[in-house]
Amino acid sequence: MLTRKPFDLSGVRVARTQAVTLTDVARLAGVSVATASKALNARGEVAPATRQRVQAAADELKFSPNILARGLISGHTRTIGLLTDELSAARFTIPVLLGAENALGDEQMSVLLCDARGDAIRRRHYIRTLLARQVDGFIILGDANEVRPSLTHDIPVPVVYVYCESDDPGDVSIVADDAGGARLAARHLVSLGRRRIAHITGDHGYRAARDRADAFLSEPGIDLVGEPLFGQWSQRWGRHAAAMLLSTHPDVDAIFCGSDQIAYGVTETLRDLGRSVPDDVAVVGYDNWEVIAAECRPPLTTVDLNLEQLGAAAVKHLFAALDGNPSSGVVRMPTRLIVRESTGVARRS
């Protein structure tokens, strides 16, 4: 069994009030500063015995390396740049950001966040600034699951897009499966025996609104009452659309809404018109915005986008690219249905 002699500290004078430097570690281990740096940064050209001796010296001196200096030597700063165009859309961007930040923290990596606010000049400035900080990679965070122009040609490090889709098929984009979520809602309502089903959703200009409507209509068992009603992503639109719907189709027995805010407005109108939810009309929302869904009367069955998982998945794909295994194409992350009282229990036939 090999034993290691204790280090002789007589020649090393490090005041307790001063930070321990790499030079102190090198002196204690009996190697050059360059060798100590290579050993602590896991460079392959250092013999295992030497690496062990340097690490033991660093542990004994409680050496805390300067991260920036380590980055300059190793070529990696363990920092990721996260660029968004709309941080104010906190309902969607913040959960994705939290999921990414948690995944990066698990790997002891840091994130530098920049909000371009939709301004091209500001965006270019932030890209230059983050590259000057020598970030190891970029995450481009969207706010509406929409297609956006690729920025990859301006960025010489790996890039992953999340909650948005790059228009370059060579990029990798992590998006929520809007169509899949709509299909979950459709199957749930059909399973409850609902047959007179309507759809009230948001702005037709949003891809999410179109994808959800198309998928909902194409699901077996769905025979829509009237045409999908497109409008604003608001409670006011939900109230107004529900009133229009019931005036022309009073026998409707279920309504799938394109957002929780719309669904909240729908339930208000149903209650005002004396319709019971879910006994008379079942209501399903979208987004699982807790502050809306849980406070709705009754609490709202809704589709959860799993936004934090989108952020974590983006980090996973970025790590793979940093390891030399980049991916490309669109990755659609599954949604889940959260069942609450607004859809009740299955009817008896």
Side-chain angles (χ1 to χ4, degrees):
M1 179 177 177
L2 296 176
T3 59
R4 180 174 60 83
K5 294 182 180 181
F7 288 110
D8 179 10
L9 296 175
S10 59
V12 181
R13 302 183 183 277
V14 181
R16 292 183 180 272
T17 58
Q18 296 178 342
V20 176
T21 67
L22 185 62
T23 300
D24 301 321
V25 174
R27 185 183 299 120
L28 180 57
V31 298
S32 68
V33 172
T35 298
S37 174
K38 294 176 182 178
L40 293 176
N41 284 285
R43 298 281 288 275
E45 56 263 40
V46 179
T50 302
R51 188 188 315 280
Q52 183 180 11
R53 191 164 75 251
V54 171
Q55 187 60 59
D59 293 343
E60 192 154 346
L61 292 175
K62 296 181 173 57
F63 173 63
S64 179
N66 182 296
I67 298 298
L68 179 59
R70 173 178 284 187
L72 292 173
I73 295 169
S74 67
H76 297 288
T77 60
R78 302 193 65 78
T79 303
I80 299 301
L82 195 151
L83 181 63
T84 180
D85 273 334
E86 198 58 66
L87 190 59
S88 62
R91 164 67 191 97
F92 300 102
T93 55
I94 294 300
V96 178
L97 172 61
L98 289 174
E101 198 276 333
N102 285 338
L104 290 167
D106 289 342
E107 297 295 327
Q108 296 184 327
M109 297 187 75
S110 301
V111 60
L112 296 176
L113 172 65
C114 295
D115 181 7
R117 304 176 193 174
D119 184 277
I121 295 176
R122 184 187 293 266
R123 189 183 304 117
R124 289 194 295 270
H125 164 71
Y126 281 138
I127 289 173
R128 290 193 299 267
T129 299
L130 291 169
L131 290 174
R133 292 290 191 98
Q134 297 185 322
V135 295
D136 296 328
F138 271 73
I139 294 176
I140 308 298
L141 172 58
D143 66 330
N145 227 28
E146 293 281 348
V147 178
R148 61 163 299 150
S150 174
L151 299 174
T152 306
H153 60 280
D154 295 325
I155 303 174
V157 293
V159 182
V160 173
Y161 298 79
V162 61
Y163 203 57
C164 61
E165 180 180 333
S166 167
D167 63 1
D168 184 344
D171 294 332
V172 60
S173 305
I174 316 299
V175 299
D177 186 2
D178 279 310
R183 286 191 288 268
L184 289 177
R187 292 166 192 164
H188 178 61
L189 290 174
V190 170
S191 75
L192 297 174
R194 309 287 174 161
R195 293 296 179 263
R196 302 284 297 169
I197 304 174
H199 182 39
I200 300 174
T201 189
D203 188 343
H204 189 273
Y206 280 74
R207 183 177 69 158
R210 300 190 303 273
D211 286 352
R212 293 170 192 175
D214 291 344
F216 188 76
L217 289 170
S218 65
E219 189 64 21
I222 294 294
D223 185 12
L224 202 68
V225 173
E227 295 294 322
L229 297 177
F230 291 90
Q232 298 176 327
W233 301 101
S234 68
Q235 291 170 229
R236 176 179 295 181
W237 165 241
R239 289 194 299 268
H240 178 65
M244 288 194 305
L245 175 67
L246 290 172
S247 69
T248 55
H249 301 283
D251 57 346
V252 65
D253 66 3
I255 303 174
F256 170 48
C257 302
S259 77
D260 291 343
Q261 285 179 289
I262 293 172
Y264 195 102
V266 166
T267 61
E268 288 180 320
T269 291
L270 289 171
R271 188 168 56 250
D272 291 344
L273 295 178
R275 303 298 181 92
S276 172
V277 178
D279 294 337
D280 297 328
V281 183
V283 178
V284 177
Y286 209 105
D287 296 334
N288 193 30
W289 191 357
E290 292 270 358
V291 69
I292 296 290
E295 293 301 319
C296 188
R297 292 188 295 165
L300 192 61
T301 292
T302 183
V303 177
D304 192 328
L305 293 172
N306 290 327
L307 293 173
E308 288 197 23
Q309 290 188 17
L310 262 69
V315 171
K316 177 182 177 181
H317 281 267
L318 186 60
F319 284 167
L322 292 171
D323 288 338
N325 300 302
S327 52
S328 62
V330 179
V331 179
R332 300 190 185 280
M333 298 294 291
T335 57
R336 58 178 179 146
L337 186 72
I338 307 298
V339 179
R340 299 189 179 96
E341 288 90 329
S342 71
T343 52
V345 296
R347 292 178 169 179
R348 296 183 182 276
S349 56

